[in-house]
Amino acid sequence: MSSKTNSKVWYYTLTAILLLFSFQTYASDTLHVVTHKRLTVVTDPSQGVNFYKAWGVFPSPKEGIRSIKLKLRMGCPDTMRCADWDYKDHITIRRTGGVKGESQDIEIGRMLTPYGGAFSKDWAFDWEVDVTDFSLLLRDSVEIEYNHTGWEPNNDRGWTITLDFEIVKGKPAWEPISIHKIYDGAYRYGDPANPIENALKPTAFTADKNAAFARLRVVQTGHGMDKPDNCAEFCSKYREIYFDQKLIDKRDIWKKCGDNPLYPQAGTWVYDRADWCPGDLMQPDLFDLPVRAGARHTVDINMEDYTSSAPSAEAYITAYVIQYKKPAAKQDAAISDIVRPTLKDAHRRQNPANVQPQVVVRNMGAAPLTRLDIRYGTKGFGQRSYTWAGNLAPAASTTISLPGVIDQAPGRNMFEVELLKPNGKKDKYPADNKMTSTFEGVPKHGATMVVYLMTNNQPDQNFYTLKNGAGEIVQERVVGTLKANTLYRDTLQLRQGNYEFLFQDSGGNGLEFWANPRGGRGKLRLLDGNGAMLQDFESDFGSSVRYAFEVGTPATPTTDALSFGLYPTRTNDTTTFDYYANHPHDVLVQIVTEPGGEVVLEQQYAELKEGVFTYDLSHHPKGRFYLVVFVGGEEKFKKRIRLKE
């Protein structure tokens, strides 16, 4: 490879990446190939696509690869703000074998960008997806392309992206033989003159003489908003997958978005969509298929019948068949993730946590996994043991909830998990049986706590539970017991121990959502016995919020907590800002134009502790503005206002 190409290759040490992701396996040999390092990406409005290519040097074909995870970090650029729209980005293997190597055009990741209009300058978020199925291609010099789609302006907004391939070397659980693309395209859906089944025809492949099974890997998202069903983005239609003319899977291509770990966002982030949500790195559907050496097999993807009078919907589908040799071991279990406790962004809604750890286990062996011993605990505390029983098929994964309290000290802690004796036998590959995660200890509060709840116009959607460490409900408000626009102050006297508070919204749009003006705005806080705020919950939370804590001594000191609210954010005239703090501060409120940042309103409040303020924007022309709040000279809150739109 040329020196120019070499300059595009990024290597980073394991230690640096572990600090970035606060997550670690005990695999014997892990390396990171970073092809795009905090690269600023913007749209090309003239084309709708903008390509960012870079080279990486991966292990040689002779080296064994146990696993590959593609980790994507997205953030706001240094010189512009985060971009606005939920566009569909593609991460692709473009070329293998160096600059003169073979063109591939293999999509290995699909990112749906978030609505970033209200993110702060220091915002960043991490996602990951397992791409081990492409290990045959991720060898030697590989050109990786990030294709950022969209049409929004590119002079004042964008994203930074980092693509990091975390590669664990070692004997593969299943040795790949070949990769065969069977579907790849934007398939028109709902056109009576050209039904989608004209394109989604059965595809055949011949099983290799050494193949024990073939894995079908499918990524599908729906886009477009035709009539009458707003397909394909906002309509739920089922998909069928056939293997050798036999139905092996049927499900709705649909995803609930109210529990997205990335929240709140500026746009319609809570709206359920055709198998994706804004701010979402797609996870593939995987199907392991039995094959006969040398035999001809067929795969067929069918969509529910649908026609539109004005068709514009498209189903974006990529599907690959990867053939594998027989598993290397009969008994082989691996831990692939720690859901709680962890600092991982993808598991924010489950953390911080103080009870019931959760881990993801994958069966890497040839035999069904029916029994597994698990040792776990926090470093510096005692270890616990648990025996899981079930029936996990080869290559399948499951999330296991482990009993007991998560021991922890204030601040950062390290949780450790080890898998032992799959099916009562020795694990043939113990290198991926251990994992640790860094996590934050939960706060400790006094015995008196107040649940402060101001309901909105739709209280029939809300309910909450408070459970102790044994999972017993010690306080609740059930569905149907709350009144609209009413302040509730539930005072609780709690015994020493661990607790988890869970507040839910069955409508999936929280206590406030800008596109649901009929719902109004509610507010949820937890207070101590003196009325000081312990926890303030974002009203625009989607489906649920949870809060884990401990009751005991010494209690965590009450912080100088701040609470902000702005509603409505879509208005023809006025908007109302509310503010609360445990201690008084000098507060500056500005309303500025977007774009440009011209200040059209400014108010200063000296030694402000609590207040509700209404601002009239009716004399301004149609447009978008930001309300920005500075507390003690530091920007603490920023939210967009849509005026007369």
Side-chain angles (χ1 to χ4, degrees):
M1 208 163 50
S2 67
S3 59
K4 181 178 179 180
T5 303
N6 274 322
S7 68
K8 299 179 181 178
V9 179
W10 298 92
Y11 279 100
Y12 280 81
T13 64
L14 174 62
T15 302
I17 298 297
L18 291 180
L19 290 174
L20 180 65
F21 293 101
S22 301
F23 186 75
Q24 176 180 354
T25 65
Y26 282 90
S28 57
D29 192 0
T30 302
L31 67 90
H32 290 261
V33 178
V34 179
T35 57
H36 299 65
K37 180 191 176 186
R38 195 166 165 77
L39 177 70
T40 297
V41 301
V42 297
T43 67
D44 180 351
S46 67
Q47 304 293 324
V49 293
N50 208 356
F51 303 103
Y52 296 87
K53 301 176 182 180
W55 288 88
V57 176
F58 292 81
S60 74
K62 295 181 180 180
E63 295 183 89
I65 291 179
R66 184 71 176 181
S67 67
I68 308 175
K69 286 184 179 179
L70 170 58
K71 298 191 173 186
L72 168 62
R73 165 166 285 195
M74 184 171 281
C76 296
D78 294 331
T79 58
M80 58 180 70
R81 65 177 177 84
C82 267
D84 287 328
W85 286 97
D86 54 333
Y87 290 129
K88 171 179 51 61
D89 292 358
H90 305 271
I91 304 166
T92 304
I93 296 174
R94 182 56 60 193
R95 281 185 289 176
T96 57
V99 294
K100 296 182 180 180
E102 184 178 358
S103 177
Q104 295 290 348
D105 191 24
I106 300 292
E107 184 187 52
I108 59 174
R110 187 179 303 174
M111 178 69 204
L112 287 307
T113 60
Y115 293 103
F119 291 160
S120 61
K121 292 294 293 183
D122 60 352
W123 174 86
F125 202 91
D126 296 318
W127 295 267
E128 66 180 45
V129 60
D130 191 301
V131 294
T132 311
D133 287 329
F134 302 104
S135 62
L136 269 177
L137 300 177
L138 294 172
R139 300 287 185 164
D140 291 337
S141 298
V142 180
E143 186 181 39
I144 302 296
E145 177 184 273
Y146 189 92
N147 175 9
H148 181 43
T149 70
W151 296 267
E152 65 184 327
N154 60 11
N155 59 337
D156 65 345
R157 70 202 72 181
W159 304 102
T160 61
I161 61 159
T162 298
L163 298 183
D164 164 37
F165 292 85
E166 180 187 79
I167 303 169
V168 178
K169 296 182 181 180
K171 185 177 180 61
W174 318 282
E175 185 177 344
I177 300 171
S178 64
I179 298 175
H180 179 54
K181 182 191 297 183
I182 60 172
Y183 297 106
D184 182 13
Y187 300 97
R188 180 57 60 94
Y189 187 37
D191 187 348
N194 185 23
I196 193 171
E197 294 310 318
N198 288 350
L200 295 179
K201 295 179 179 179
T203 301
F205 68 94
T206 300
D208 187 272
K209 64 180 181 179
N210 295 316
F213 69 96
R215 177 166 299 150
L216 174 64
R217 182 185 179 102
V218 183
V219 172
Q220 177 173 348
T221 54
H223 304 271
M225 288 182 60
D226 64 18
K227 300 297 181 183
D229 292 347
N230 288 328
C231 278
E233 182 171 343
F234 295 111
C235 70
S236 177
K237 304 295 182 183
Y238 67 76
R239 180 192 69 193
E240 297 175 329
I241 297 180
Y242 289 84
F243 176 62
D244 290 345
Q245 294 80 50
K246 294 181 180 179
L247 181 68
I248 62 170
D249 183 71
K250 180 178 180 179
R251 74 172 181 89
D252 292 338
I253 301 301
W254 197 241
K255 186 170 185 178
K256 296 287 188 179
C257 292
D259 57 0
N260 192 328
L262 174 53
Y263 78 94
Q265 299 179 36
T268 56
W269 69 273
V270 303
Y271 288 0
D272 305 335
R273 286 171 166 84
D275 226 30
W276 62 276
C277 298
D280 186 14
L281 180 63
M282 293 298 298
Q283 303 298 314
D285 292 328
L286 302 175
F287 308 93
D288 285 354
L289 313 173
V291 297
R292 302 184 308 278
R296 194 77 166 162
H297 297 279
T298 60
V299 173
D300 187 17
I301 293 180
N302 295 330
M303 287 299 299
E304 179 180 349
D305 288 340
Y306 168 72
T307 59
S308 169
S309 58
S312 66
E314 291 181 315
Y316 280 75
I317 303 174
T318 56
Y320 303 92
V321 169
I322 304 97
Q323 297 193 50
Y324 285 98
K325 295 180 181 179
K326 67 178 182 180
K330 188 175 181 180
Q331 315 295 341
D332 184 1
I335 180 166
S336 55
D337 201 3
I338 297 175
V339 176
R340 53 188 284 173
T342 184
L343 293 176
K344 271 191 173 183
D345 287 338
H347 304 314
R348 281 184 177 180
R349 289 196 181 257
Q350 293 288 330
N351 290 278
N354 55 2
V355 295
Q356 201 174 53
Q358 290 183 356
V359 298
V360 180
V361 171
R362 191 175 191 188
N363 182 7
M364 311 293 276
L369 184 63
T370 59
R371 184 178 182 274
L372 184 66
D373 293 339
I374 305 175
R375 183 185 301 150
Y376 60 99
T378 304
K379 189 174 182 179
F381 295 84
Q383 295 285 296
R384 292 183 172 88
S385 295
Y386 174 73
T387 298
W388 171 85
N391 192 345
L392 189 62
S397 297
T398 188
T399 299
I400 299 175
S401 294
L402 303 172
V405 169
I406 301 171
D407 296 314
Q408 51 197 267
R412 293 290 174 94
N413 296 264
M414 186 71 72
F415 187 76
E416 303 173 314
V417 181
E418 182 178 9
L419 309 181
L420 303 166
K421 294 184 177 180
N423 294 331
K425 306 292 180 60
K426 180 180 179 181
D427 195 304
K428 296 298 183 180
Y429 193 85
D432 52 13
N433 286 18
K434 294 182 180 181
M435 185 175 285
T436 68
S437 64
T438 303
F439 72 97
E440 197 76 28
V442 301
K444 186 180 291 186
H445 300 313
T448 303
M449 177 173 287
V450 178
V451 179
Y452 173 105
L453 170 62
M454 171 62 75
T455 59
N456 63 8
N457 297 334
Q458 298 172 326
D460 54 311
Q461 298 179 355
N462 300 133
F463 52 101
Y464 79 77
T465 57
L466 178 67
K467 295 182 179 181
N468 60 21
E472 301 166 334
I473 295 176
V474 297
Q475 173 70 18
E476 65 178 335
R477 288 273 186 177
V478 299
V479 173
T481 61
L482 298 171
K483 297 180 180 180
N485 300 305
T486 301
L487 176 61
Y488 294 87
R489 297 175 64 99
D490 295 341
T491 301
L492 315 176
Q493 297 296 327
L494 303 175
R495 296 179 179 178
Q496 185 171 331
N498 289 286
Y499 294 87
E500 186 172 77
F501 175 80
L502 176 63
F503 188 93
Q504 299 184 71
D505 184 273
S506 61
N509 53 14
L511 288 171
E512 169 200 346
F513 185 56
W514 66 269
N516 180 34
R518 290 180 300 176
R521 181 174 186 269
K523 192 61 197 171
L524 177 65
R525 298 171 181 152
L526 297 179
L527 311 177
D528 68 11
N530 298 318
M533 186 164 57
L534 300 173
Q535 177 67 22
D536 179 61
F537 296 97
E538 166 64 52
S539 294
D540 184 9
F541 61 74
S543 294
S544 67
V545 286
R546 73 176 65 231
Y547 181 71
F549 63 95
E550 182 181 353
V551 170
T553 55
T556 304
T558 302
T559 61
D560 189 13
L562 302 172
S563 174
F564 308 92
L566 182 68
Y567 190 83
T569 56
R570 173 180 279 184
T571 180
N572 291 323
D573 40 49
T574 63
T575 187
T576 298
F577 167 64
D578 63 76
Y579 173 85
Y580 177 88
N582 282 342
H583 305 288
H585 296 277
D586 291 336
V587 177
L588 171 65
V589 176
Q590 292 181 337
I591 296 181
V592 302
T593 60
E594 179 209 343
E598 175 189 354
V599 178
V600 299
L601 183 149
E602 182 173 283
Q603 293 287 341
Q604 296 191 31
Y605 306 96
E607 293 295 292
L608 179 66
K609 187 175 186 296
E610 184 175 5
V612 178
F613 311 95
T614 298
Y615 306 116
D616 186 2
L617 299 173
S618 60
H619 56 287
H620 291 286
K622 171 184 175 181
R624 297 188 177 190
F625 301 81
Y626 282 107
L627 183 138
V628 188
V629 182
F630 299 87
V631 179
E634 295 185 17
E635 181 181 316
K636 295 293 187 180
F637 179 78
K638 179 181 179 182
K639 200 159 190 178
R640 177 184 287 166
I641 303 169
R642 294 170 170 87
L643 178 65
K644 303 174 184 176
E645 289 190 342

